[in-house]
């Protein structure tokens, strides 16, 4: 490598090389999409967070309360579908197809920097994780942040000499920030650090594109802070309270336990009963180091190293500043670390093929890969099954409440009030907890104006304003705690 190449990464390969092998990346993206449609879409329902996001732009119910930490990027993504249909299946299918296309687009960005075989293996490794498959068709922002981060890092080495790459870099940073402002910040920091000191990039347009994308993506969140949350400081403070008072934590072990199939580990005081589900997680650092060595030997260390450093930046806040874990938080880091991991996998494969016991070595590597995929599939069954039970549970509850006269326009409060409100077609509000968007007196007043249901755990006493209302045991899907509903006189009159 020349001095220039060492600083800015290898020069793009000839056009013929860039064009070749596109079918391989398309095949990876197609398999990813088909796997979602077969495994992660059928029969699943919208969970709590998804109901909040979808309700903002259409769907089945009025907008649910939008708490301070949330950003509206994913609502814009799903709006074209949710505005026309409340079908969960339609939303899932659309997102599965879009996520497959996004994976293909993100990998194609890297074609001038890395060989197609590396990108194909990286895409397969990332797409094969259960958490990637599970969140591909879901209305959640983290996987889309992963695609945006992959695009941004892949465009940075070309941004100084290519206007389209420069515009794409700014747009990618803006998109990640629009989806999750904190992720946008932690993505921008290593990109700025890489752009500023390199002589080829001393012209300000690359740092300006990164900073401009960050500011543009954060603007809606900041404006909303002043219009709905009492200012930026107040929103940040409230967001920290809802997320558990952010500080210095060590939650690496929590993330390891969550890999057994828990979509949210809060609090994560569960026993670590399935250590085999995290074996790949412990091997990942070794694979990354091996991949960096392989990339250096091949003369393409700069972009792979940048991907690794950016992944560390994106992962660190979730591992050391947040007091709970969710596997989806680390999706952007996994997407970027798949690149050095792929370099390492190909190095091992080449070594196996040169081995004196070639068949044994290649067979062993193939068996390890098959075992890894089998583990991911085994874990995926759990969260997908729970998502299906969500649909069964809340569809049954909604049917029962409709029979009790709780029909739109209506209001639901109490236990599981957001998904129950969404499936029933009602507004959902609480006077306490993360919501606090209405007072208890306001709820009592609403009960006199429209059908209203207060949902509590079975046997619990309802609020004082609902103690004279008739109570009904709601249908319960397997694995769910029984619930009681107390319906207002307005609902009772409709039912009669």
């Amino acid at each position: 490598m020349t001095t220039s190449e060492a600083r800015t990464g290898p020069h793009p390969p000839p056009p013929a090389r860039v064009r070749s092998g596109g079918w391989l990346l398309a095949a990876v993206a197609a398999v990813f999409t088909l796997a979602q449609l077969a495994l992660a879409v059928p029969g699943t329902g919208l969970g709590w967070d998804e109901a909040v996001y979808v309700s903002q732009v259409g769907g089945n119910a009025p907008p649910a309360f939008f708490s301070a930490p949330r950003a509206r990027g994913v609502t814009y993504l799903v709006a074209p579908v949710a505005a026309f249909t409340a079908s969960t299946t339609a939303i899932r299918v659309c997102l599965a197809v879009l996520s497959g296309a996004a994976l293909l687009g993100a990998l194609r960005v890297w074609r001038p920097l890395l060989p197609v075989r590396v990108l194909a293996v990286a895409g397969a490794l990332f797409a094969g994780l259960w958490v990637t498959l599970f969140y591909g068709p879901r209305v959640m922002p983290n996987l889309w942040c992963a695609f945006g981060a992959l695009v941004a890092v892949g465009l940075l080495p070309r941004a100084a000499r290519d206007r389209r790459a420069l515009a794409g870099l700014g747009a990618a940073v803006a998109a990640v920030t629009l989806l999750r402002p904190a992720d946008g910040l932690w993505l921008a920091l290593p990109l700025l650090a890489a752009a500023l000191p390199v002589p080829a990039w001393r012209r300000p347009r690359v740092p300006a594109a990164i900073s401009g994308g960050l500011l543009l993506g954060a603007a809606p969140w900041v404006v909303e802070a002043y219009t709905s949350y009492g200012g930026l400081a107040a929103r940040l403070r409230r967001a920290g309270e809802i997320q558990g008072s952010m500080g210095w934590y060590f939650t690496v072990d929590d993330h390891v336990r969550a890999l057994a199939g828990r979509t949210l580990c809060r609090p994560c005081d569960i026993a670590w009963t399935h250590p085999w589900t995290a074996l790949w997680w412990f091997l990942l650092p070794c694979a990354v180091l091996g991949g960096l060595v392989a990339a250096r030997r091949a003369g393409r260390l700069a972009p792979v190293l940048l991907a690794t450093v950016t992944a560390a930046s994106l992962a660190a806040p979730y591992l050391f500043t947040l007091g709970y874990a969710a596997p989806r938080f680390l999706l952007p880091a996994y997407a970027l670390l798949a690149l050095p991991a792929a370099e390492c996998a190909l190095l091992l494969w080449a070594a196996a093929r040169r081995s004196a016991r070639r068949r044994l070595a290649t067979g062993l590597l193939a068996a390890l890969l098959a075992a890894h995929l089998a583990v991911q599939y085994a874990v995926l069954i759990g969260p997908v099954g729970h998502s299906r039970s969500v649909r069964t549970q809340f569809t049954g509850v909604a049917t029962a409440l409709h029979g009790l006269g709780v029909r739109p326009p209506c209001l639901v409060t109490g236990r599981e009030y957001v998904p129950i409100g969404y499936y029933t077609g009602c507004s959902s509000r609480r006077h306490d907890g993360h919501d606090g968007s209405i007072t208890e007196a306001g709820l009592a007043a609403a009960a006199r104006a429209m059908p209203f249901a207060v949902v509590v755990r079975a046997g619990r006493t309802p609020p004082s304003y609902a103690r004279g209302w008739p109570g009904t045991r709601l249908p319960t899907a397997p694995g769910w705690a029984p619930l009681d509903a107390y319906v207002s006189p307005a609902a009772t009159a409709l039912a009669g």
Side-chain angles (χ1 to χ4, degrees):
M1 291 174 64
T2 65
T3 303
S4 174
E5 286 175 329
R7 288 171 173 169
T8 64
H11 293 306
R17 181 183 171 188
V18 173
R19 287 194 296 268
S20 67
W23 66 269
L24 192 57
L25 301 184
V28 171
V31 171
F32 175 50
T33 301
L34 293 174
Q36 293 178 66
L37 295 175
L39 302 175
V41 170
T44 56
L46 295 181
W48 184 302
D49 291 320
E50 291 183 291
V52 172
Y53 289 125
V54 174
S55 69
Q56 307 301 311
V57 289
N60 194 57
F65 177 71
F66 205 77
S67 63
R70 301 187 187 275
R72 296 189 180 270
V74 74
T75 65
Y76 303 146
L77 179 69
V78 78
V81 183
F84 292 99
T85 178
S87 168
T88 300
T89 299
I91 293 172
R92 293 266 189 260
V93 170
C94 181
L95 289 178
V97 173
L98 282 176
S99 62
L103 176 63
L104 175 59
L107 292 175
R108 284 177 62 88
V109 165
W110 282 81
R111 289 177 69 184
L113 302 173
L114 299 178
V116 169
R117 64 182 183 276
V118 173
L119 299 177
V121 172
L125 290 175
F126 179 59
L129 296 176
W130 75 262
V131 63
T132 310
L133 284 168
F134 182 73
Y135 283 104
R138 271 154 186 81
V139 191
M140 297 295 283
N142 309 83
L143 182 60
W144 302 97
C145 288
F147 294 141
L150 200 56
V151 169
V153 178
L155 288 175
L156 182 64
R158 288 178 283 155
R161 57 181 179 267
D162 185 334
R163 290 184 178 180
R164 289 184 299 178
L166 182 70
L169 171 61
V173 173
V176 173
T177 309
L178 186 64
L179 289 158
R180 286 182 74 85
D183 280 9
L185 175 63
W186 290 103
L187 169 65
L189 289 177
L191 297 182
L192 286 170
L196 287 174
V198 180
W201 296 342
R202 276 181 179 166
R203 287 177 295 179
R205 61 181 185 175
V206 174
I210 299 169
S211 303
L214 181 64
L215 294 174
L216 183 63
W221 199 85
V222 174
V223 170
E224 190 178 40
Y226 286 97
T227 59
S228 303
Y229 297 93
L232 182 58
R235 185 172 193 178
L236 289 170
R237 183 171 58 254
R238 182 58 178 152
E241 292 171 355
I242 291 174
Q243 292 178 323
S245 297
M246 296 178 67
W248 290 111
Y249 296 93
F250 182 84
T251 57
V252 173
D253 54 334
D254 294 346
H255 282 274
V256 169
R257 285 195 290 270
L259 289 174
R262 293 182 67 92
T263 55
L264 181 65
C265 212
R266 182 181 186 182
C268 205
D269 52 2
I270 58 173
W272 192 28
T273 55
H274 302 293
W276 47 272
T277 60
L279 182 60
W280 68 271
W281 207 84
F282 291 108
L283 293 176
L284 183 58
C286 298
V288 169
L289 290 175
L292 292 173
V293 172
R296 184 177 182 276
R297 291 177 179 175
R300 48 178 181 261
L301 175 61
V304 178
L305 180 60
L306 179 60
T308 304
V309 172
T310 306
S313 176
L314 286 162
Y318 295 112
L319 295 174
F320 305 114
T321 68
L322 200 61
Y324 61 97
R328 60 186 173 88
F329 291 162
L330 298 183
L331 277 169
Y334 296 153
L336 292 166
L337 293 178
L339 296 169
E343 291 274 14
C344 182
L346 288 171
L347 179 66
L348 293 176
W349 184 258
R353 291 177 62 85
R354 293 193 302 267
S355 171
R357 298 184 178 182
R358 174 178 172 181
R359 291 184 178 180
L360 177 62
T362 55
L364 180 60
L365 285 177
L368 288 174
L369 177 60
H372 170 69
L373 293 176
V375 168
Q376 298 306 305
Y377 172 73
V379 177
L380 178 65
I381 292 173
V384 170
H386 177 72
S387 183
R388 289 172 179 156
S389 76
V390 164
R391 185 170 189 164
T392 301
Q393 167 70 6
F394 294 120
T395 300
V397 167
T399 301
L401 289 177
H402 288 159
L404 295 171
V406 183
R407 303 167 198 152
C410 48
L411 184 64
V412 172
T413 192
R415 192 76 179 173
E416 302 287 355
Y417 71 112
V418 168
I420 290 176
Y422 179 84
Y423 279 81
T424 310
C426 301
S427 298
S428 53
R429 289 291 181 267
R430 281 192 69 160
H431 70 282
D432 56 0
H434 296 168
D435 192 331
S437 60
I438 192 171
T439 63
E440 192 168 11
L443 289 172
R448 295 189 291 269
M450 67 177 70
F452 186 17
V454 178
V455 181
V456 298
R457 284 186 177 179
R460 297 287 179 88
T461 303
S464 57
Y465 60 82
R467 285 177 187 166
W469 300 352
T472 302
R473 180 63 49 86
L474 295 172
T476 305
W480 290 83
L483 301 171
D484 290 338
Y486 292 84
V487 299
S488 67
T492 305
L494 283 177

